[in-house]
Structure formats: structure tokens, C-alpha cells
Amino acid sequence: MAPQTTVPDSALAGLREDLAGEVLVPGDPGYDEARVVFNGMIDKRPAVIAQCETPEDVSNAVLFGRGAGLPIAVRGGGHSVAGTALNDGGLVVDLRRMHAVVVDPEAMTVRVEGGATMSHLDHACQPFHVAVTGGRASTTGVGGFTLGGGSGWLERKFGLACDNLLAVELITAEGKHVHADAEENPDLFWALHGGGGNFGVVTSMTLRVHPLPEFGFVMLLFRKEAGPEVIRAYRDLMADAPDEAGGGGIYLNAPPEEFIPEELQGTLLSGALVTWAGPAAEVRAFADPLYALSPSVELLMDLPYVDFQCMLDDPPGMRNYWSAEYLSAFPDPAVDVFCARADGMIVPSGMQHVLFPLGGRVARGPADSPVPWRSAAWGLHPFAVWEDPADDERAIQWVRDVRADALPWSTGAVYLNFTGDEGRQRVVEGFGAENYRRLARVKADYDPDNVFRFNHNIAPAA
């Protein structure tokens, strides 16, 4: 455990007076609850947690942290697998009380505060039958998700979340409020389309929303042995798919749900999920080649998008380790190594071995954004979730082995929201070398001292 930093009571009194929200330190009621994130492997003890309620709170907290010489982490949804929403012995600027979401159905926009989760966003949008691409779990924070690029079920239809970003309100490392959009501070606005939380604390953002009157999906599951045939069929199905189609090819542990035959529950299954920005009747017709393989389980339904977003939530408190590779192609040899690696999954567990299709509006998005992986055909996402610390080494090695298998087809670019701390070179690859240099110049303009460094960090450079 890291040594605990003690902040003088007089300084804390000043911070408490300056904040409309609450200030928590070790020993306070609620402190231990406030430092919990979803990944059970993360156990960090900040010296101060500032639970902000307003942009002014954020500014005051940042200035306090800098004046006290405390490292500063920023917590939105707290869904970073590496636990970057926290630190040991520093200040956490906790935005979770700032979670308001306001939809403007006439302008087809939504304003989202910095601490809102996908659940907040999707519930606000559902009455208007509109949506924007969200994360694949309702507990994901909208801010970190969008600033990191924003890949989700609706991306082939509506583009990445960052492609729908219209404006941002941000508190800089100097405690100043800055507005960024296509006209005002355009370099900063460009950097926020994938550059993450490197440039300040985003207190709110405005996103474009799209009509989504209906949403359907089909999940077809097969015994593990059918995996190579199923994954190839899904790959071929998505080759010329309309933008409405999304989903993924998958290996997963069958949950104890009513729609799973009892004899298959707790076993490893292969399968295909096809999401559809439209009615389930359309996805059923589209998925006919998969039905021809005689699935063991079929789940087909129309469902409000907000409800679907909760179906695959990563349960809190489990141990997590993830990574990703983005592939230029997925030929039969790649299918074979992908499927063979499923044998290394922990059974039972929450582990998922997933292949996401890109293309559609993702590929047609802005070519100059700092998202070099948008041109890939497939995203490979080994998603390790388990319970027993004794399985740590096995689970982490499995993720690394999946990545290594995919390198012959990898583009080298990667969606950093899917990764933890994998070193500086991986961060450069996540943005692309040329983008990284440009991002580093923007970083130097807005955070020259690298105050906001608990992230996939971009070092400031002239």
C-alpha cells in the first residue's frame, strides 16, 4: 500500500468552504465507498476526494490540488480498466454528482454533464426515440468514452461518439473555463475527438443525436465446437452488411438464464450477436445464414435501446483485464487462431472473446481525427473478467496471447478505451505517430505541466 498523504486541516477547511459539493478524506463516512471503481483489482487511497457539483467546484478543486502539490485524477464514470479515475495519495476530482442530461429534440442534440453514465444518457434519450453511439455497458461514463473515441453497438449507423461531438465545456489545469467547438478553439476541439482526458476536465459536452424509433437484435449461441464455422459465417455476413447491422462474433460463458438450456449453463459457447438499428423482423431476415447453422440458443427481440444497453453490463467488483487489436482483415487462418484461443478461457467466468465489425459510418468518418483505427475492418477484444485472485496470471496471459495471435493481421492502431496501461509506445500507436505529435502540441498549450496525466497520457511537447 502506498504511503498516505495527509493534507492540513486548514487547507481542507478552505476547500470545503469553496465547494458546493462534498470533500472526503480517509476516515470520513463514505470515503471507502467513494474510492471504489468497477474493477476489483484496483485498490487506491486518494488523500482527498472532491465530489464536485458545479464547474466552479471543478475549478476550485483543480486549483486546490495544484496548490497543495497533489497529483490530480479525474473521475467521470470510473470505468477505466486501469483504474485511472483514482490515485494513491492525491486528489480525485469526482464528477459523479454532475450527471444531468438534457435532450433538445428540435435541434437533435443532447447536453451531457461530465459525470453522466450511459444509463443517464440513454434514459434521457429514450422518450424522444433518439440515440447516439454509446458504450456497450450502461455503467460506462459518457465523458471518458466519447473523448477516447467512443465505439459501441450503433457506430456503423451513427459513427463513433466523438464523430457526433459538437461542443465541449472544459476546466483547464489553470482552473480556467474554456469552450471548444469547430469555430472556437478548433485545435483543442480536434484533440478532444479521441485524445482523451489529457487537456482538462470536461464538465459538459454537446452531442448530435439521431432518430432511433426501433431497435432489435438476435443472439444465436452454439456449442463451442461449432465456433470456427459460426465465426466464419458471421464474418461473411458482415462483409456487405448495411449500416444498420452491428454486433460481434463471440465466445462466452453461458449465463444461468431461462433462455439457456440447463445443460449448457456454465459452459463455454460460441455465437454471434447481430444488433440492428431497426425492427427485429429485419434482423431476423438478415441473419438467416446464421440460422442455417442450427443454433442451440436463439434470442430474437425488439427491445428499447436503453434496455439492451444494460444486458451485457460488467458486474462490479470482478477482476478485469482487457486489451484489443484492430485488424485489416480476418481471413480463415485468423479465424482458426481466434477460435483455438477460446480453449484458454476460464470456465466459468465472465470472460468474453469478442470480434467487432467496423466499417459503415466508422470508416466514413473524419479522416483527420486522432482515431487511426477507424479504417480497420475488425476490432478484436479479449475481455477477461474473473473472480478469484489466484486466476490473475492465467487471465492476464490469455489476453496477451490473444493479442499476440492477431499481430499478423493487426493495423497497429488501437482503441485505447479498450486497454489498460500497456506503455507509451502503445499510446502512440493508439493515436498514430503524426496525430500524437499534433496532440502533444495541443497538450503543451492547455496543460504544459502535464497535470492531467492519469490517463493514456500525452506528454506536452512544442
Side-chain angles (χ1 to χ4, degrees):
M1 181 180 295
Q4 185 61 54
T5 302
T6 302
V7 179
D9 289 341
S10 57
L12 288 171
L15 180 62
R16 288 190 169 104
E17 185 175 334
D18 287 341
L19 256 61
E22 190 171 357
V23 176
L24 299 174
V25 298
D28 284 349
Y31 169 83
D32 283 326
E33 181 181 358
R35 70 182 183 88
V36 171
V37 290
F38 84 102
N39 186 354
M41 297 182 77
I42 307 302
D43 182 18
K44 297 181 181 179
R45 298 185 62 83
V48 183
I49 300 174
Q51 297 184 316
C52 300
E53 293 187 356
T54 66
E56 291 73 25
D57 278 3
V58 174
S59 177
N60 287 331
V62 169
L63 292 174
F64 166 83
R66 297 203 68 182
L70 296 175
I72 299 173
V74 181
R75 178 170 186 160
H79 214 264
S80 161
V81 69
T84 55
L86 302 177
N87 59 29
D88 280 314
L91 168 70
V92 172
V93 178
D94 188 340
L95 304 178
R96 286 177 293 171
R97 295 187 177 196
M98 300 171 61
H99 60 249
V101 179
V102 179
V103 180
D104 184 339
E106 294 186 2
M108 291 298 284
T109 62
V110 60
R111 183 179 181 275
V112 186
E113 286 191 330
T117 64
M118 290 302 154
S119 181
H120 295 124
L121 172 61
D122 295 335
H123 276 94
C125 287
Q126 188 65 39
F128 302 102
H129 302 291
V130 298
V132 63
T133 300
R136 296 178 176 90
S138 68
T139 51
T140 302
V142 180
F145 168 79
T146 303
L147 297 176
S151 170
W153 303 121
L154 296 174
E155 63 191 359
R156 299 185 77 257
K157 180 66 174 177
F158 300 146
L160 302 173
C162 70
D163 296 341
N164 293 281
L165 187 62
L166 299 174
V168 172
E169 307 297 323
L170 178 144
I171 301 297
T172 70
E174 296 180 346
K176 296 180 180 178
H177 172 263
V178 171
H179 174 89
D181 60 26
E183 303 297 327
E184 189 174 348
N185 299 308
D187 284 346
L188 174 61
F189 189 58
W190 170 84
L192 295 170
H193 285 69
N198 275 283
F199 311 99
V201 185
V202 171
T203 56
S204 70
M205 56 178 61
T206 302
L207 296 160
R208 181 186 302 107
V209 296
H210 305 266
L212 188 68
E214 295 180 274
F215 182 85
F217 76 95
V218 61
M219 170 75 89
L220 300 177
L221 298 176
F222 304 77
R223 294 185 183 274
K224 180 176 74 72
E225 295 74 19
E229 186 178 19
V230 173
I231 298 299
R232 279 194 293 269
Y234 179 75
R235 174 200 63 189
D236 296 344
L237 181 68
M238 293 302 299
D240 297 309
D243 290 357
E244 285 76 10
I250 190 168
Y251 283 86
L252 79 170
N253 284 266
E257 300 286 353
E258 289 185 5
F259 65 90
I260 304 286
E262 188 173 351
E263 68 273 14
L264 296 180
Q265 293 179 13
T267 68
L268 191 63
L269 301 180
S270 61
L273 169 67
V274 185
T275 59
W276 195 263
E282 293 179 3
V283 73
R284 170 61 184 87
F286 173 75
D288 194 60
L290 294 169
Y291 276 88
L293 302 179
S294 301
S296 301
V297 177
E298 174 201 6
L299 188 62
L300 172 71
M301 66 174 66
D302 290 297
L303 192 69
Y305 174 66
V306 63
D307 294 334
F308 179 79
Q309 283 286 75
C310 303
M311 289 184 65
L312 297 176
D313 279 359
D314 185 5
M318 301 293 283
R319 305 176 78 77
N320 282 253
Y321 187 84
W322 321 332
S323 194
E325 288 292 337
Y326 279 73
L327 314 179
S328 57
F330 196 60
D332 285 348
V335 173
D336 292 340
V337 296
F338 173 84
C339 294
R341 189 58 67 183
D343 289 333
M345 296 172 70
I346 296 171
V347 181
S349 73
M351 294 175 79
Q352 297 178 20
H353 190 23
V354 193
L355 180 78
F356 294 124
L358 275 73
R361 287 286 291 275
V362 177
R364 300 195 300 272
D368 68 338
S369 69
V371 184
W373 47 270
R374 72 164 68 245
S375 59
W378 296 93
L380 177 64
H381 184 30
F383 184 82
V385 181
W386 69 101
E387 189 169 6
D388 188 348
D391 288 326
D392 285 3
E393 184 177 350
R394 177 184 172 191
I396 292 169
Q397 188 60 50
W398 175 78
V399 171
R400 292 172 176 169
D401 288 343
V402 171
R403 276 195 59 208
D405 287 344
L407 290 179
W409 302 279
S410 174
T411 66
V414 62
Y415 176 41
L416 292 171
N417 280 358
F418 276 169
T419 73
D421 182 1
E422 298 180 3
R424 179 183 180 276
Q425 185 55 38
R426 187 76 155 146
V427 174
V428 174
E429 292 168 354
F431 299 123
E434 184 176 342
N435 287 331
Y436 185 89
R437 287 190 288 270
R438 182 177 172 187
L439 290 165
R441 292 193 293 271
V442 178
K443 176 79 168 182
D445 288 339
Y446 289 91
D447 185 14
D449 298 322
N450 205 11
V451 171
F452 302 113
R453 59 184 181 272
F454 291 90
N455 45 41
H456 289 106
N457 193 240
I458 299 165

